[in-house]
Amino acid sequence: MTPLRWMIDAPADGPANMARDEALLLLVGLGASPPTLRFYRWSPPTISLGYFQDYRAYEELPAPAGELPVVRRQTGGGAILHDLELTYSLTLPLGHPWLEGAGSIGLYERVHAALAAVLVERGVPAQRVGGDAPMGCSHGGPFFCFERHSRFDLLAGGRKLVGSAQRRTPSAVLQHGSLILKRRFEQQVCAAVSDFADIDVASCLTAIARLIAGGPVGGPETMRPDELQRAEELRAKYADPAWTRRR
């Protein structure tokens, strides 16, 4: 099995972040890039719409969230207000051993279990929703993803702390998700790490990567020039109002 490559990206805007995720999905699917775990942040704060969401719902969103930049993801589910959070993406080729058995659904369990273990060890009471909740992101429900609960989401104090979504192509799977660190917007109806503990999340990334990988990992890497070039080509799509308003 090809070892998991992991990386820490500098904060970027919505089009750049979504373009980088799609570039990895394409290149991992082609076998040109290895399985990749990417940690990143957002600057400025941005609303990301789920692939199937109606743009008019964003237009009806009141200030201050309704005044933020908006980008459309390639994954489904509800909108996310990306601000003071840790975002990850995990991209694997089809046929990867982690997709055996439970398939792509098992990735939710793998990543969220790793995040929960690191958080609980540091005093954050993160636990999976479980029970009879839906298996994955739904296309209906409240506007914001963090007001919806699926089976593999992580809660803390009864509110959602971590949520993820997937995009599957004929050759690869992308899963990305958000861990809320702090809240600055009243429209963020969710839990945050800062509600329970004072954690330097940057110091946790190696531990999270190791738990996801299921073994030792090397140091963080950066995107290669060819990956950055593909991402730059894709950025125009995510910056285009036609893509954002397509539904």
Side-chain angles (χ1 to χ4, degrees):
M1 182 176 68
T2 303
L4 180 69
R5 174 184 65 164
W6 70 288
M7 59 181 63
I8 304 171
D9 264 359
D13 63 16
N17 274 330
M18 294 300 89
R20 290 187 178 193
D21 274 356
E22 185 173 357
L24 290 171
L25 179 64
L26 293 172
L27 292 171
V28 169
L30 291 171
S33 293
T36 300
L37 172 66
R38 173 179 171 245
F39 294 114
Y40 58 98
R41 307 288 185 96
W42 300 70
S43 182
T46 299
I47 300 286
S48 75
L49 298 175
Y51 182 82
F52 297 99
Q53 279 193 295
D54 190 337
Y55 179 79
R56 288 174 296 181
Y58 163 75
E59 292 183 302
E60 296 168 358
L61 191 65
E67 297 173 342
L68 296 178
V70 60
V71 66
R72 186 176 295 276
R73 304 190 307 270
Q74 57 182 320
T75 55
I80 300 175
L81 197 167
H82 303 280
D83 184 23
L84 302 177
E85 69 172 55
L86 173 69
T87 311
Y88 78 89
S89 67
L90 177 61
T91 311
L92 304 175
L94 293 190
H96 192 279
W98 295 351
L99 299 175
E100 295 176 357
S104 57
I105 293 297
L107 289 185
Y108 290 124
E109 176 70 29
R110 187 180 197 96
V111 175
H112 288 195
L115 290 170
V118 170
L119 291 168
V120 168
E121 184 178 7
R122 290 158 176 80
V124 181
Q127 59 182 0
R128 200 178 76 176
V129 172
D132 296 325
M135 290 287 286
C137 281
S138 64
H139 302 321
F143 177 73
F144 282 115
C145 173
F146 276 74
E147 296 178 37
R148 310 177 184 189
H149 291 176
S150 66
R151 192 172 305 177
F152 298 102
D153 292 338
L154 294 183
L155 305 182
R159 288 188 168 189
K160 189 168 173 177
L161 179 67
V162 176
S164 299
Q166 291 183 355
R167 167 72 186 278
R168 184 182 182 123
T169 71
S171 57
V173 173
L174 163 74
Q175 178 176 300
H176 57 192
S178 299
L179 165 64
I180 307 301
L181 303 177
K182 296 181 180 180
R183 292 183 307 273
R184 293 193 296 183
F185 294 85
E186 62 182 20
Q187 287 136 314
Q188 289 179 293
V189 182
C190 59
V193 169
S194 62
D195 296 339
F196 306 95
D198 183 13
I199 296 175
D200 175 15
V201 74
S203 68
C204 304
L205 298 184
T206 300
I208 295 170
R210 187 183 300 120
L211 286 170
I212 292 173
V217 292
E221 302 181 27
T222 58
M223 292 185 76
R224 301 190 313 256
D226 62 312
E227 294 169 331
L228 290 170
Q229 180 179 348
R230 180 62 67 91
E232 185 60 29
E233 293 166 357
L234 289 165
R235 188 186 189 285
K237 177 180 83 172
Y238 289 99
D240 187 346
W243 164 263
T244 307
R245 302 176 183 180
R246 67 193 308 267
R247 293 183 184 276

